[in-house]
């Protein structure tokens, strides 16, 4: 799965009707139509996109939005949520964390205490992190088995992306 395909899936996921569960079911269906290896490639791209947003400025912005309740795991789940908002929103927030103020889902939380937020309103989406593995396991017949095959496939993808060390020439 290339970057363009990954972001096309995220852009469509961001526009899908229904609640988060229904939207994840759609994504599962899309991934089921592809070779199992693309599930690992999808996860590698998802993780890379999430790692890119791990900045101090964005952490502070999220913590402010969540009323000081943003934990390490909470920030990871926020990063997943942000990727699921689609490429345009993701890139805008990555470039300037203040762009979060322009995201409709964030604006809907303004002035409300976090105790009043429904689960689906939190700008966090932990379950997105499990979709690729679930589908991979299903497609490879690994359901209920050890997660090892998925993580081996994921590591293999990530290793191919690693830049080889440059040797200095005399």
């Amino acid at each position: 799965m290339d970057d363009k395909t990954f972001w096309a899936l995220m852009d469509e996921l961001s526009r899908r009707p229904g609640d988060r569960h229904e939207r994840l079911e759609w994504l599962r269906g899309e991934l089921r139509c592809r070779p199992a290896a693309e599930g690992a490639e999808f996860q590698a791209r998802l993780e890379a996109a999430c790692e890119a947003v791990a900045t101090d400025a964005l952490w502070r912005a999220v913590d402010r939005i969540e009323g000081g309740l943003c934990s390490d795991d909470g920030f990871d789940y926020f990063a997943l949520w942000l990727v699921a908002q689609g490429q345009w929103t993701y890139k805008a927030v990555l470039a300037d964390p203040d762009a979060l103020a322009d995201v409709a889902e964030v604006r809907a939380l303004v002035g409300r205490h976090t105790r009043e937020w429904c689960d689906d309103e939190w700008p966090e989406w932990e379950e997105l992190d499990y979709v690729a593995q679930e589908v991979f396991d299903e497609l490879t017949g690994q359901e209920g088995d050890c997660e090892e095959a998925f993580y081996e496939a994921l590591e293999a993808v990530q290793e191919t992306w690693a830049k080889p060390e440059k040797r200095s020439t005399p």
Side-chain angles (χ1 to χ4, degrees):
M1 174 175 298
D2 61 15
D3 204 45
K4 183 178 178 182
T5 303
F6 171 79
W7 283 112
L9 287 170
M10 292 296 93
D11 288 342
E12 180 62 24
L13 182 67
S14 73
R15 293 187 297 265
R16 297 294 304 175
D19 62 19
R20 290 182 187 184
H21 175 76
E22 293 167 321
R23 293 166 58 207
L24 286 180
E25 279 305 311
W26 171 84
L27 181 58
R28 283 183 188 95
E30 290 297 307
L31 292 175
R32 280 185 193 109
C33 296
R34 301 168 186 277
E38 284 198 33
E41 293 167 0
F42 173 89
Q43 186 68 27
R45 293 199 183 281
L46 180 62
E47 289 181 10
C50 288
E51 288 172 17
V53 301
T55 66
D56 289 340
L58 195 49
W59 183 289
R60 286 189 302 275
V62 174
D63 197 47
R64 198 170 317 123
I65 290 167
E66 295 185 358
L69 299 175
C70 187
S71 65
D72 290 347
D73 287 345
F75 187 81
D76 291 343
Y77 306 151
F78 163 79
L80 291 160
W81 174 86
L82 180 59
V83 173
Q85 300 310 300
Q87 187 175 20
W88 187 89
T89 300
Y90 171 85
K91 286 186 174 184
V93 171
L94 185 59
D96 179 10
D98 287 343
L100 279 169
D102 297 327
V103 178
E105 290 83 355
V106 172
R107 283 195 317 266
L109 302 173
V110 173
R112 295 172 49 212
H113 194 280
T114 56
R115 288 187 303 260
E116 299 171 6
W117 299 359
C118 297
D119 287 344
D120 273 0
E121 289 184 297
W122 280 84
E124 298 180 351
W125 202 352
E126 176 184 6
E127 297 80 11
L128 179 58
D129 202 25
Y130 310 122
V131 171
Q133 180 180 347
E134 291 167 2
V135 172
F136 180 93
D137 290 350
E138 182 182 320
L139 292 175
T140 59
Q142 305 281 333
E143 291 179 285
D145 289 345
C146 177
E147 304 166 343
E148 196 169 311
F150 176 75
Y151 287 112
E152 287 174 0
L154 177 58
E155 287 177 19
V157 169
Q158 291 168 329
E159 285 175 9
T160 64
W161 292 357
K163 295 179 181 166
E165 275 187 40
K166 291 185 178 182
R167 294 183 184 191
S168 57
T169 54

